[in-house]
Amino acid sequence: MARVRRMLDACAELLDEGGYAALSTTRIAERAGVAIGSVYQFFPDKKAITQALGLRYLDIFSARVSARLSGEAFDHWTDGVDAIIDEYIDMHRTVPGFRSLHFGDVVDVQLLDGGADNNRVIADRLRDIVAGVPGAPDGGQLDRAAAVAVEAADAVLKLAFRHDADGDADLIAEAKLLVRSYLGRHFAAE
């Protein structure tokens, strides 16, 4: 629905301008050009709006990763790690609000799903995508490996963007090396 999309877009813009602390439903309504009642018709508060935005980002990220992995040939399934990280980096640089919200960890570590940490939700989504890549392992080992890889990449990529709006290229390269090396060694026999 166009009205909800405008509210989410306004939320993203406002997050970039002032962060979560400065965000309010009133400001979102004003920026989106809707009545405050319209905001409350769909979202009870600013956290609910940022949750919807985080879920939208997760869907966009998943679609971009899926398209990239299905559109390129890799020598080994772990080579797709660079493509996954590149999509995250590109969203961080170009998608309004993503830099401020990521996948919601700025607001609540369980914003995407009240029963799981945000990184677990992302790891599960990436696991499902990677499991469809030829040669990828399946099962419990991939579950654990995806969780560890997402946590490790998240930490290093946060560091890469902490003082550099475009992301420190050397730290981004280190994140890729770290995750590829871990996954490559973890599943070397496969």
Side-chain angles (χ1 to χ4, degrees):
M1 153 175 286
R3 198 168 21 156
V4 171
R5 189 172 47 251
R6 284 197 324 268
M7 287 184 264
L8 292 176
D9 291 344
C11 180
E13 292 169 7
L14 290 166
L15 281 168
D16 275 349
E17 291 171 14
Y20 185 74
L23 189 67
S24 71
T25 53
T26 301
R27 291 186 71 210
I28 292 168
E30 290 170 357
R31 178 67 59 94
V34 300
I36 191 70
S38 290
V39 173
Y40 291 122
Q41 178 183 358
F42 297 99
F43 306 105
D45 54 29
K46 74 178 188 177
K47 184 176 177 182
I49 297 171
T50 55
Q51 179 184 40
L53 183 61
L55 290 168
R56 178 168 90 170
Y57 290 153
L58 181 59
D59 289 342
I60 291 168
F61 178 68
S62 298
R64 289 173 62 153
V65 166
S66 292
R68 182 102 179 250
L69 293 179
S70 66
E72 293 182 32
F74 300 103
D75 291 335
H76 190 267
W77 70 272
T78 56
D79 294 335
V81 166
D82 285 356
I84 292 169
I85 292 174
D86 287 343
E87 290 302 326
Y88 176 87
I89 298 300
D90 188 61
M91 285 184 69
H92 208 281
R93 291 175 178 157
T94 64
V95 175
F98 188 79
R99 176 184 308 267
S100 301
L101 188 62
H102 308 284
F103 288 113
D105 59 339
V106 172
V107 178
D108 181 346
V109 296
Q110 292 187 328
L111 184 70
L112 298 176
D113 179 339
D117 288 352
N118 296 330
N119 279 349
R120 180 77 243 183
V121 173
I122 295 162
D124 289 348
R125 185 78 64 99
L126 288 174
R127 179 211 54 227
D128 292 346
I129 293 168
V130 169
V133 174
D138 198 8
Q141 284 186 315
L142 183 57
D143 289 347
R144 184 176 50 258
V148 170
V150 166
E151 289 291 343
D154 182 52
V156 177
L157 292 173
K158 280 180 182 167
L159 179 62
F161 282 94
R162 188 172 297 149
H163 301 292
D164 185 338
D166 286 327
D168 180 294
D170 292 334
L171 288 173
I172 292 169
E174 290 294 324
K176 290 177 179 182
L177 176 63
L178 176 98
V179 176
R180 269 191 325 237
S181 297
Y182 166 71
L183 291 174
R185 291 189 68 161
H186 196 68
F187 296 108
E190 307 222 8

